[in-house]
Amino acid sequence: MSAAVLDDFAAISLTELVERASLQTRVDRKYVIPSTGLDQLLTVLAADGARILEIDGERDFAYESVYFDTPDLSSFRLAATGRRRRFKIRSRSYLDTGSSYLEVKTRGGRSSTVKERHELDPDDARVLTPCGREYVGEVLGDAGIRSVDPEELSPVLTTRYSRATLFVPSSESRATIDTRLVWELEDAGDHPTGGRLERPAISVVETKSGNRASAVDRILWSLGHRPSSISKYATGMAALHPELSANRWGRVLARDFDRPGGPTTASRPLLAA
């Protein structure tokens, strides 16, 4: 993704983006596309009037997310089996601005994603404080998820990437483009890869809109791209732990992560809290 192409977009401030397209309750569609194809996509989006988030003159930002799960990986397993009442818990740090948030994502009606979050001290981004555990318990309880004990949650995986965020006025929607993707296990032990995975050749484009497809979705379709089943957390865990069942992400794992995505002969707890 070249800086020159990003410069073709008119800018939008963070304040205006939040006012016009915060979309905490939304439908997400994700696309895995070759990084070499990004400039074509961005050129079409710029011509369509999309605007790009700009903060202090910067348009491409470094992110770090730390994912928390139970010892038996409840969050991963619920996602892997497509359960309706599934959840995801992470801290998200915006490395360029120095701010961090604790986020709890659950599934709402009609397959929508509901995200709740509160601000963190950046020093607490890799732990769940007593306040954080209480917050997680409240949000999960409100979503009808009462089988998870927040006291059992611990960090299991970190992702790092660069993100550009676009706002599309025609559909009042937004999209993110993630590049330079890296995954790291929190407890790699004697993992054969060192518990680290890099995928610079792929990019993840995520559209965020209401129930209807956004203008970005339609542009992606016109360029021959279709939504993929991918979760940075679950796909990363499955790629780094081939003993985990991963049918749900099999196609992406086989194509982009060099891992066949069929069922496994064993399914066992991987990480102790």
Side-chain angles (χ1 to χ4, degrees):
M1 183 165 58
S2 68
V5 175
L6 294 183
D7 288 341
D8 290 339
F9 290 87
I12 186 171
S13 70
L14 180 59
T15 299
E16 186 179 357
L17 180 67
V18 170
E19 288 176 350
R20 299 185 64 178
S22 59
L23 294 172
Q24 294 297 87
T25 301
R26 70 207 186 202
V27 173
D28 300 337
R29 297 177 182 87
K30 298 178 183 178
Y31 303 79
V32 181
I33 68 175
S35 296
T36 53
L38 281 180
D39 283 1
Q40 180 188 22
L41 170 64
L42 292 170
T43 298
V44 175
L45 286 169
D48 198 51
R51 299 165 64 187
I52 192 166
L53 175 64
E54 181 176 293
I55 302 174
D56 296 331
E58 298 295 328
R59 297 184 166 200
D60 197 13
F61 304 96
Y63 280 52
E64 179 180 273
S65 295
V66 179
Y67 292 87
F68 299 85
D69 211 337
T70 60
D72 64 348
L73 302 179
S74 293
S75 177
F76 173 88
R77 296 184 191 281
L78 289 170
T81 54
R83 299 295 180 87
R84 185 172 67 86
R85 293 193 182 278
R86 56 189 186 267
F87 66 95
K88 190 179 297 178
I89 299 163
R90 71 186 178 203
S91 68
R92 168 160 288 177
S93 297
Y94 302 84
L95 302 183
D96 297 283
T97 61
S99 57
S100 297
Y101 294 85
L102 176 61
E103 300 182 343
V104 183
K105 298 176 74 174
T106 57
R107 302 290 283 185
R110 298 183 180 179
S111 298
S112 63
T113 300
V114 180
K115 181 172 73 175
E116 304 285 348
R117 71 177 189 170
H118 75 175
E119 193 163 5
L120 284 177
D121 183 323
D123 291 338
D124 293 332
R126 310 194 73 79
V127 299
L128 277 179
T129 64
C131 179
R133 293 182 190 277
E134 181 180 0
Y135 177 75
V136 168
E138 291 175 355
V139 175
L140 293 181
D142 289 344
I145 301 170
R146 298 180 175 85
S147 59
V148 178
D149 181 357
E151 295 299 323
E152 293 188 340
L153 295 166
S154 63
V156 295
L157 183 75
T158 296
T159 63
R160 298 183 183 90
Y161 49 93
S162 295
R163 169 169 288 186
T165 299
L166 302 175
F167 171 69
V168 185
S170 61
S171 55
E172 293 288 307
S173 61
R174 58 188 171 96
T176 58
I177 301 174
D178 297 340
T179 58
R180 298 187 285 277
L181 295 147
V182 177
W183 291 260
E184 287 185 349
L185 293 174
E186 287 298 305
D187 182 12
D190 58 355
H191 195 282
T193 70
R196 181 181 172 91
L197 180 68
E198 298 183 31
R199 282 296 179 267
I202 64 171
S203 303
V204 177
V205 179
E206 185 170 353
T207 64
K208 308 165 195 291
S209 63
N211 290 329
R212 294 183 178 180
S214 70
V216 183
D217 289 298
R218 291 189 290 272
I219 290 171
L220 283 161
W221 299 342
S222 74
L223 295 174
H225 303 295
R226 292 295 180 267
S228 295
S229 181
I230 183 173
S231 153
K232 286 193 184 71
Y233 170 57
T235 307
M237 287 291 289
L240 287 164
H241 282 296
E243 66 271 31
L244 284 173
S245 180
N247 291 348
R248 190 175 181 85
W249 310 285
R251 185 174 182 179
V252 168
L253 285 164
R255 184 188 64 198
D256 300 310
F257 291 85
D258 304 321
R259 190 215 130 155
T264 60
T265 57
S267 181
R268 57 182 173 82
L270 296 174
L271 303 171

